[in-house]
Amino acid sequence: MMAMKFSFLTPMARIRCCSPSNQISLPSSPLKALKLPAFWPWQKVKMGPLSVSPMGFGTWAWGNQLLWGYQESMDTELQQIFILAVENGINLFDTADSYGTGRLNGQSEKLLGKFIREFQGRRRIREDIVIATKFAAYPWRLTPGQFVKACRASLDRLQIEQIGIGQLHWSTANYAPPQELALWDGLVAMYQKGLVRAVGVSNYGPKQLVKIHDYLKARGVPLCSAQVQFSLLSIGEDQQEIKNICDALGIRLISYSPLGLGMLTGKYTPSKLPSGPRSFLFRQILPGLEPLLSSLREIAQKRRKTIPQVAINWCISKGTIPIPGVKTLKQAEENLGALGWRLSSDELLQLEYAARESPGKMIQNIFQTR
């Protein structure tokens, strides 16, 4: 993986997000700044034909009232998050046509489109933004044409000419195998029509991942990315096998839920749970996470980072592109602090050993296939 060694943040953003103790200081004189510049642009990583930041931002919460408590009054802060992200090098934003609740379905795409149109910064920053959106395998999407129609609807909500990565949100192999081929052909069609620059999948297990890769390759369509739940809470045999397949086939693995829906932030305990549906899951898993959280805490203190920054950096150091969700400026600033450094091999081993010793494990997504 092309690991980045420096981060390019605005001075205030660097002070706020890269040091939880706020003890990073700017050079005291112009001469020192000239001798050792405080900020450097970071490298991008390759994902198919695209160059993207080593971390993206996930936008599941942008419109989801049920799980994430979205309200339209949050839109101003979400736009500030978007501006902060792109001005500090983040150019990958993951969304889906199903993101939102009820009448707000598609709200995440609408907001991203609005924020891109209204961005007042440099034109090149705006042009480099990569939107990766996912198309739901709804039971009424039975033909390639219906999938292409879904892609055009996303383009309309986003108000952009071409989507960066068009992704199949989940496989239907577990419950409707005949539909699967139509969806694959839909990916081929949207790629051949130039509606997307690249195609990817989400929630595909190892067997189906190899099948769709080979099918697309035979049609002249490269599989750019595979998005799965991948974190220190989700490193079972299937996830490791998926990662190995991606490495062997040149597919970039996108890690969703790198913080385990918030369980790897260190902000919650069995007696301090989040509100809403997440509390039921947290109540089951958190009591078994102490070995892992203890190691995260130890490394964070040594590195002068925060627990979430260490957890996200683990995903980056494993060669994946994490897409932590953000719905507040504080979260966005903290996530940016996961960039610009890299865990050592000993630290990676320590965290992975602690993960294995922790009986608490994330429940596998029911849509992931074998």
Side-chain angles (χ1 to χ4, degrees):
M1 174 189 178
M2 293 179 281
M4 47 167 224
K5 297 183 179 179
F6 304 98
S7 58
F8 181 69
L9 303 177
T10 59
M12 185 55 66
R14 184 175 175 88
I15 292 172
R16 294 174 69 184
C17 81
C18 293
S19 173
S21 55
N22 287 344
Q23 292 182 1
I24 293 179
S25 58
L26 296 175
S28 57
S29 72
L31 287 177
K32 286 186 179 179
L34 289 172
K35 289 174 66 178
L36 184 61
F39 317 111
W40 288 92
W42 60 65
Q43 289 179 313
K44 294 291 191 292
V45 298
K46 294 300 291 182
M47 186 155 60
L50 307 166
S51 293
V52 300
S53 44
M55 174 181 71
F57 276 5
T59 63
W60 182 15
W62 299 16
N64 186 292
Q65 295 175 317
L66 179 64
L67 194 65
W68 300 110
Y70 168 80
Q71 300 295 329
E72 291 178 64
S73 59
M74 297 165 59
D75 289 356
T76 298
E77 184 169 13
L78 294 178
Q79 187 162 19
Q80 292 171 343
I81 290 168
F82 175 84
I83 293 169
L84 176 72
V86 296
E87 286 186 343
N88 286 289
I90 301 296
N91 75 329
L92 176 65
F93 293 87
D94 181 80
T95 183
D97 64 358
S98 63
Y99 282 178
T101 308
R103 66 178 180 83
L104 294 172
N105 265 9
Q107 180 75 350
S108 173
E109 290 182 332
K110 291 177 184 176
L111 288 174
L112 275 171
K114 176 178 183 290
F115 299 161
I116 292 170
R117 290 193 305 276
E118 295 180 358
F119 180 67
Q120 298 296 313
R122 285 178 293 166
R123 181 178 176 182
R124 180 170 180 179
I125 291 177
R126 186 170 63 248
E127 291 175 345
D128 283 346
I129 292 170
V130 174
I131 299 297
T133 197
K134 299 182 287 294
F135 307 109
Y138 291 134
W140 55 85
R141 290 178 175 169
L142 297 172
T143 67
Q146 288 169 320
F147 219 49
V148 169
K149 184 178 178 181
C151 182
R152 293 190 189 278
S154 287
L155 282 167
D156 187 54
R157 283 188 291 270
L158 288 159
Q159 289 291 291
I160 57 178
E161 294 181 1
Q162 190 180 44
I163 288 166
I165 311 172
Q167 305 165 97
L168 179 56
H169 204 154
W170 65 84
S171 167
T172 64
N174 286 347
Y175 61 91
Q179 186 182 4
E180 184 90 335
L181 189 59
L183 300 178
W184 293 2
D185 285 339
L187 285 178
V188 172
M190 65 178 69
Y191 179 81
Q192 291 178 341
K193 291 176 182 295
L195 304 178
V196 300
R197 289 187 63 191
V199 301
V201 293
S202 179
N203 296 309
Y204 266 63
K207 290 182 179 178
Q208 284 299 109
L209 181 59
V210 171
K211 286 180 183 178
I212 189 171
H213 168 271
D214 292 348
Y215 183 85
L216 293 175
K217 184 178 180 181
R219 302 290 299 275
V221 180
L223 183 61
C224 164
S225 61
Q227 183 177 146
V228 295
Q229 187 171 244
F230 191 88
S231 73
L232 283 162
L233 271 182
S234 303
I235 49 173
E237 290 183 8
D238 276 4
Q239 307 309 86
Q240 290 294 344
E241 188 177 355
I242 292 167
K243 177 65 170 59
N244 293 339
I245 289 169
C246 285
D247 291 345
L249 297 179
I251 302 166
R252 180 68 70 171
L253 193 148
I254 299 175
S255 306
Y256 75 74
S257 292
L259 298 176
L261 298 179
M263 278 182 275
L264 295 184
T265 62
K267 299 172 184 176
Y268 300 104
T269 67
S271 59
K272 181 188 175 185
L273 300 170
S275 59
R278 282 189 299 159
S279 64
F280 299 104
L281 189 64
F282 279 47
R283 191 175 290 113
Q284 296 176 49
I285 298 174
L286 270 177
L289 289 187
E290 189 46 43
L292 176 55
L293 289 172
S294 178
S295 285
L296 284 167
R297 195 175 298 113
E298 177 187 332
I299 292 172
Q301 290 173 350
K302 182 177 67 176
R303 286 281 192 165
R304 302 179 69 81
K305 299 293 179 182
T306 67
I307 290 175
Q309 288 166 356
V310 174
I312 294 170
N313 191 273
W314 177 85
C315 294
I316 296 171
S317 298
K318 299 299 287 186
T320 77
I321 299 178
I323 48 170
V326 283
K327 65 174 186 176
T328 69
L329 269 170
K330 183 178 179 182
Q331 289 173 345
E333 290 167 350
E334 184 168 37
N335 289 351
L336 287 170
L339 296 171
W341 58 285
R342 187 166 180 169
L343 290 163
S344 70
S345 57
D346 286 345
E347 289 169 330
L348 293 173
L349 289 173
Q350 178 185 342
L351 288 171
E352 289 156 28
Y353 176 79
R356 288 193 297 270
E357 291 298 301
S358 298
K361 296 291 186 292
M362 177 60 80
I363 296 171
Q364 189 57 267
N365 191 311
I366 61 170
F367 286 109
Q368 182 168 310
T369 59
R370 260 302 291 164

